[in-house]
């Protein structure tokens, strides 16, 4: 498939074990059928219809490429991973969306913008440096941070169902509940 094109209909990458390069371009509907392994973006992906990923599979946007578009429906059964630093893009993923499955912000040195939205499982893998929230976030599954990493919420809110927090969480929000109450917040 040539890069940089616009495809109507549905494009399906069908290798069950992943290891496919997802060609950069504009898709109406994009389906990744890998049930194991990782498929890797080969350019910026714009999806203006339905994005579907399969349980057990990973879409790795790497440190270079963004995932955007109108994304009318996101059916993420697997993992979407981005390592895009803020210096490359302040919107590594479309903001304000509902992200099912797991979304990993994977730059170990931090310096990523965590986009506003509703996540099922939200994982921050920075073991140093600071990630910055771009807006209010909710995690209906598990919110995970790693030791040594910082999430700066600014004045935004963070709502979580389950917490696995080992890092540092900063908030400048002066409301009564900038983060979910009644949870055990490890870390700092």
């Amino acid at each position: 498939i040539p890069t940089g094109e616009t495809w109507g209909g549905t494009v399906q990458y069908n290798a069950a074990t992943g290891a496919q390069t997802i060609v950069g371009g504009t898709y109406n509907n994009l389906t990744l059928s890998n049930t194991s392994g990782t498929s890797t973006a080969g350019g910026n992906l714009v999806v203006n219809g339905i994005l579907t990923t399969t349980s057990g599979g990973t879409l790795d946007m790497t440190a270079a490429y963004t995932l955007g578009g109108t994304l009318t429906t996101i059916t993420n059964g697997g993992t979407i991973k981005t390592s895009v630093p803020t210096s490359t893009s302040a919107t590594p993923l479309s903001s304000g969306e509902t992200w099912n499955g797991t979304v990993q912000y994977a730059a170990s040195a931090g310096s990523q913008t965590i986009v506003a939205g509703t996540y099922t499982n939200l994982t921050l893998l920075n073991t140093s440096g600071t990630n910055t929230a771009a807006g209010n976030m909710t995690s209906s599954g598990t919110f995970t941070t790693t030791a040594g990493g910082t999430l700066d919420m600014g004045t935004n809110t963070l709502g979580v169902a389950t917490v696995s927090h080992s890092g540092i969480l900063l908030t400048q929000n002066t409301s009564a509940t900038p983060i979910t109450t009644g949870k055990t917040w490890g870390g700092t």
Side-chain angles (χ1 to χ4, degrees), residues 2-161:
T3 189
E5 300 292 331
T6 298
W7 296 277
T10 299
V11 175
Q12 181 171 357
Y13 289 84
N14 207 31
T17 58
Q20 287 186 284
T21 298
I22 311 306
V23 175
T26 300
Y27 297 84
N28 181 45
N29 300 319
L30 175 61
T31 300
L32 308 179
S33 298
N34 56 316
T35 55
S36 66
T38 300
S39 292
T40 305
N44 292 327
L45 303 180
V46 176
V47 181
N48 290 321
I50 301 168
L51 171 66
T52 304
T53 66
T54 308
S55 179
T58 298
L59 168 60
D60 187 354
M61 296 304 299
T62 75
Y65 305 120
T66 61
L67 173 58
T70 57
L71 290 159
T72 58
T73 302
I74 301 168
T75 306
N76 177 25
T79 299
I80 297 174
K81 178 179 177 180
T82 178
S83 298
V84 172
T86 301
S87 61
T88 299
S89 177
T91 52
L93 304 174
S94 284
S95 182
E97 301 289 347
T98 297
W99 297 95
N100 301 314
T102 298
V103 173
Q104 294 179 341
Y105 288 86
S108 61
S111 298
Q112 288 189 273
T113 299
I114 313 304
V115 298
T118 300
Y119 299 85
T120 298
N121 299 308
L122 174 58
T123 302
L124 309 180
L125 297 175
N126 58 313
T127 54
S128 66
T130 300
N131 287 331
T132 304
N136 297 330
M137 299 181 300
T138 302
S139 173
S140 63
T142 302
F143 169 71
T144 304
T145 65
T146 53
T150 299
L151 172 61
D152 186 348
M153 291 298 301
T155 59
N156 301 301
T157 61
L158 175 63
V160 299

